[in-house]
Amino acid sequence: MTKLFLGGMVALGIAALASCNPQSGDSAQSMAGTIVHEDTRFRQELSIKYYLETPGVGLLRAYEDRNGTVQVLSDQGLLRPHDGQFLFPGRLITDRTYLPMKDKRLKDLVLYRDQFVYLDDRSVLSNAWAGSLFVRHAISDASLFQAGKDFSFLVAGAGSLAYYVDSAEVWKGSMGSAQVLGLDYDSRQDRFLVLTPTQVATFTPGQKELKEVFSGSGFTSFSLANGGKHLIIGTNDGFLRVSTASWQQEGERQNRLPWPELTAVREIHGNLWFGSTRGAFMLKPDGKFNYYYGERWLPGDQVMHLAPGSGQNVWVLTDQGLAKLEFFEQTLHEKAEYFDKQMRERHIRYGFNATLVGMEKGNINSGRLGDSDNDGLWTSMYLGGEAFRYAVTGEAEALQNIRESLDAMERLYTINPIEGFPSRSFARRGYIPQLSDPERWQPASHPEWDWKATTSSDEAIGHAFVFGVIAELVDDKEVKDQAVRLIDALMQHIVDNDWYLIDYDGKPTLWGKWHPDYVNNFPRMVGDRKLNSSNIISMLQTAYHFTQKEIYKTKAFELMNDHGYLDNMMVPMEQIGKAEEGTDEWAEMLSESWNHSDDEMYFLGYWGLYRYAFNDTLKAKYRESIIDHWEAERPEKDGLWNIFTALVAPDNFDLEEAIWYLQEYPMDLINWSVQNSHRKDVTPIAENFRRQTLTEVLPPDELPIRRHNANRFGLDAGGMGRSENSPGDIWLLPYWMGRYLGVISGPQTD
């Protein structure tokens, strides 16, 4: 789907990029040879779910007719979906369209010539064709039927079969004691296919002949595919591909599937779809699968039936309800517009970028805006995205968003009594978590407010990153001056307090420490030594670049030359690992495994480290270090890390993986419970320091919703739909940074 071309960015508002710092030479319009993604439409999917509210009802079939009407056959009659839309689930209710149908003991439902046709205990019937279709059958235990040529029908019971033409029974046969599990019709050969747990048989109306053509074991479902040239047989351990010309199996049984216990098989819109006891999946041309499992996609785990919908949509009936998997095309820019609307509607708390928490099973209207230890960090990342957006588009709305969130950032500094100290967050007094966490929550001078203390280093680097981005890119003097004032206040506090963040109690916070005694106490292989060195130099360079205060430059060179911080920064990532035995407990704890939150801190710091480098010699070293880190991160295919790397290597970074990340990230950012550790289509690897669990990372829409500080190789999560993440830091930041750096074009909708 990704298209690459050489050249500068062809996008809206290109002239707005002139505000980029001329010293850096890295603005979009000057990066000759940059590889660029042309933002054309790609396929996106979402799910609209309809839950079964009455317990004990068995769901059997679901179809959509030519009029767009959807019916669900249950063991208690016909149902229909009601009142569902994306993020607002509907429910299955009794279908009262034709009241006489309520008296029918319906056994099966098929779609014939795009109309609903029913099987009850006495007949085949339909309300289409003026209700004229009515075929009496004589199968006492009828459970399945299939339509053939010219309104002919094959009806099956426990083991018996009967064929009807012009409402008359013209043939009757038996499968012996075998249970008939499925029927299909091959229009090319004018023959019916019959499935039992151990065999496939054909019934040819012309010869009135029932003939076994293929045998095996554990059969559960089947479907004609490839224009009728193949029969795909689902089993309790994968599927078989059988030639309908020779009735020979082609290849081995395929059970390297997301889950091999199959319940349904169907070729839909040219793709093979499978239902299982653990979700649904679609076979892709590359042999991999799109996996739809968990409540992000389906209301229940066990798939009962699969059916095509209008357009490219797919209906998936589960034991707990019905899902419409809706497929549509959009550009990344259109996706950004959707996420921006979502962001503003329900993720702004006092100007902060906030998570919606306390939700009831995915109900976004039941949630509340939650505070976070990292309100300043998440808001910095959202603010950065908005600054890039403004630099690209010049939109007044983006500038207003910047003003509002920057005011929230500034209040982190002014709501507490400590000069230059950023609070973690603030909230109105009386908010319940404040009462349960008195160490973090401190009273402000205003009786209405409290502020959160114990600020960490990841907050500080997030602040420095975005204050630099705003000061450089936003051509509004008031906003620019505000950002410079804040970076100056933060760094003056750190310098004045001997490389520490000093809290309300006069002591350093747990994580706000950049002093050489702390940093160099870690062995070289412990990541915090490299990380803290990298971050503090980035912060000092940013402060110097915009304030021109010599103290920041002088102190930075002291740390690099006298205390080895430059050497610390240049330690290759492959040397970062566990501390040796006998090291102090703190170092051992910090190096138990790779800390993915550190990756976020590194990359946010790389903006100021590389872009505002004191000289070209340092800049070259920084570039070497950044690329080394990116090489270590490549397996995760994180969109933000790849876009950040375009800052230093615009002609050689994983653009396709960055676009894959942005395109594959789900539209539904609710934290549903997600499981992947049971999958049979992935290759696990041995436990390792980086906590990489598979040979290849799964797509974002098959994983738990994760910020950039989490391990993208984590397979499971138990979110249960209790919160919704903001797209501000997860998606909008990498997208708009990519637009600003010129590696993602504007929308190409022609």
Side-chain angles (χ1 to χ4, degrees), residues 57-61 71-80 93-95 101-102 104-106:
V57 176
L59 302 179
L60 305 173
R61 301 275 190 275
Q71 282 191 335
V72 177
L73 176 66
S74 78
D75 59 6
Q76 297 184 26
L78 292 173
L79 308 174
R80 66 185 304 157
I93 62 173
T94 300
D95 189 329
M101 298 299 291
K102 183 175 176 59
K104 303 291 184 183
R105 289 181 229 176
L106 299 178

Side-chain angles (χ1 to χ4, degrees), residues 413 419-422 483-494 496 547 549 552:
Y413 290 81
E419 187 72 24
F421 180 84
V484 174
R485 185 170 65 249
L486 290 172
I487 184 64
D488 188 26
L490 171 64
M491 295 314 298
Q492 195 65 57
H493 174 96
I494 293 172
D496 288 348
T547 68
K549 291 185 177 180
Y552 297 135

